[in-house]
Each structure stands twice: as C-alpha cells, then as structure tokens.
Amino acid sequence: MLSKKNLNNDDIVLTGQYIGVVEEFLPDKQSTFTKDGKIFASKTGLININDQERKLEIRTHQEQDRKTVKIGDIVIGTIVFLRKYSVGINFFTINKKIHFNSGYFGNIHVSQISDKYVEKINDAFQITDILRARVSEQEYNEYKLSTIGKNLGVIYADCVICGDPLIKIGYNKLKCMRCGNIETRRLANDYGNVNNTLRF
Ligand SMILES: [Zn+2]
C-alpha cells in the first residue's frame, strides 16, 4: 500500500487508486473520494500535495488546455512499430503537458531523423523507445514528426535482448550493463535524464 512517503508531487495516479488516509491528507472533493477513512483517486492525473495544508488533489491538463496539436509542438511518445522508411509513434505529451484521455499518432520518415544520413531505421530507433520530436506536418489524424535538432531524439531505451535500460556510452551509442549488448540510437542530448512523469 502507498503511504505519503511514496507519493510525490506530479506522480501519476489512476482512477480508483488508493492514495492515503484522511488522517494524512485533506482530500479534494472534485478529484478524490473517501471510503472508510481511505482516499482514492476519482480521476486519472498528476497528484498535487500542498505540504503546509496537507491538501491533496489530482490535476489533469486536458481540461484547461487545447486538445489539438499544432505544427512546431514538441511531443513525447513511444515507438510502436518500425517500417523500412518510417517509424510509428503514439504520443500523449504535448509541450510538456500530459493529455491522458487523448492519444495521438505520428510517424517519422527516415529523412527526418537526423541532419546526418541515416541508412537503416533500426540504427536510430527500436520499438518501445521513448522519444521527443517536433510536429512538422499534419494529415488528417496523423502527424509527421521530426527528430532533427539537438534536444530531439530518443530519451529512454531498453536493451533489445534483455530489456534492461540502456546507458549512454558515446555519441548515439548505448550499452546494456546487464548483458553487454551495444546498440545505436538517434539520441536526444538529455538521454537518460528525463523525468519519469514525462515519459508518455
Ligand atoms: Zn541487455
């Protein structure tokens, strides 16, 4: 069970998740419900604890923010498939805000990965990689994305062999400390240093 020491501001909680007890927190009626002295989330979002007043609420961004994606927006998403000349990405995070109830789909063409020539798409990306990209075009419900730019590219990746997180050992180079596997990726300059809550 969670207790207050396990909960930090901006942690993600899911609808129905146990958060704490009424002795610890003053729950917000809009975003939580209480039962037998226990507090549960009544919606999915980011937890916000006011330490002085012990006030607790769950905040979502999509209520007050636009739901559309614009050209130039920076998004974070997960690679869901690789094709010969493109990769498909699901993304929820737009300009650092998580949109829980609306997923978007985008793809990156091989020519839009880097300003350097990329021969094979799997030298740059693998399925389940998390990356940051810029929206360059929209076609109906599909967005064309680009990772050309220093702060764009993969921000988190797991070893394709054993699944352990990969450690950066050089330019676009990663190593698995568990099995020794070495892989390449198109890396963002802050690879490995990205807040957990933004990895959506
Ligand atoms: Zn490994």
Side-chain angles (χ1 to χ4, degrees), residues 32 34 37-38 49 119 121 124-125 137 141 155 157 175 196-197:
T32 65
T34 54
K38 290 173 182 165
I49 305 163
E119 193 187 342
I121 215 134
F125 300 124
E137 253 180 81
N141 286 329
I155 57 174
K175 184 177 182 181
N196 260 316
T197 58

Side-chain angles (χ1 to χ4, degrees), residues 82-88 107-113 117-122:
L82 300 181
R83 286 183 180 144
K84 197 170 180 189
Y85 299 112
S86 69
V87 294
N107 64 70
I108 304 177
H109 186 261
V110 66
S111 65
Q112 297 301 305
I113 294 173
Y117 176 66
V118 175
E119 193 187 342
K120 285 183 299 192
I121 215 134
N122 57 8

Side-chain angles (χ1 to χ4, degrees), residues 18-153:
Y18 169 76
I19 302 170
V21 292
V22 291
E23 286 82 4
E24 286 179 301
F25 302 112
L26 187 62
D28 165 55
K29 286 190 178 69
Q30 303 298 315
S31 59
T32 65
F33 63 94
T34 54
K35 196 182 166 190
D36 301 331
K38 290 173 182 165
I39 307 164
F40 300 87
S42 64
K43 65 182 182 182
T44 296
L46 303 179
I47 201 153
N48 185 274
I49 305 163
N50 179 321
D51 271 325
Q52 257 122 52
E53 302 170 58
R54 306 303 305 159
K55 270 188 187 165
L56 181 153
E57 64 174 327
I58 295 152
R59 292 175 177 171
T60 53
H61 295 295
Q62 72 266 19
E63 288 143 15
Q64 61 266 34
D65 291 325
R66 63 189 164 84
K67 288 184 180 146
T68 53
V69 180
K70 289 202 176 76
I71 307 298
D73 282 353
I74 301 297
V75 303
I76 291 173
T78 305
I79 297 193
V80 289
F81 64 77
L82 300 181
R83 286 183 180 144
K84 197 170 180 189
Y85 299 112
S86 69
V87 294
I89 293 138
N90 276 340
F91 61 94
F92 296 88
T93 301
I94 302 156
N95 297 333
K96 294 191 177 175
K97 287 180 176 161
I98 299 169
H99 296 243
F100 286 103
N101 298 328
S102 43
Y104 298 91
F105 180 76
N107 64 70
I108 304 177
H109 186 261
V110 66
S111 65
Q112 297 301 305
I113 294 173
S114 170
D115 51 12
K116 295 183 180 67
Y117 176 66
V118 175
E119 193 187 342
K120 285 183 299 192
I121 215 134
N122 57 8
D123 289 339
F125 300 124
Q126 295 290 343
I127 290 169
T128 76
D129 284 356
I130 299 167
L131 60 79
R132 185 189 296 114
R134 181 185 291 108
V135 178
S136 57
E137 253 180 81
Q138 182 184 2
E139 274 176 10
Y140 301 101
N141 286 329
E142 196 167 312
Y143 297 90
K144 290 189 176 171
L145 309 176
S146 162
T147 51
I148 297 174
K150 269 187 190 160
N151 61 336
L152 304 177

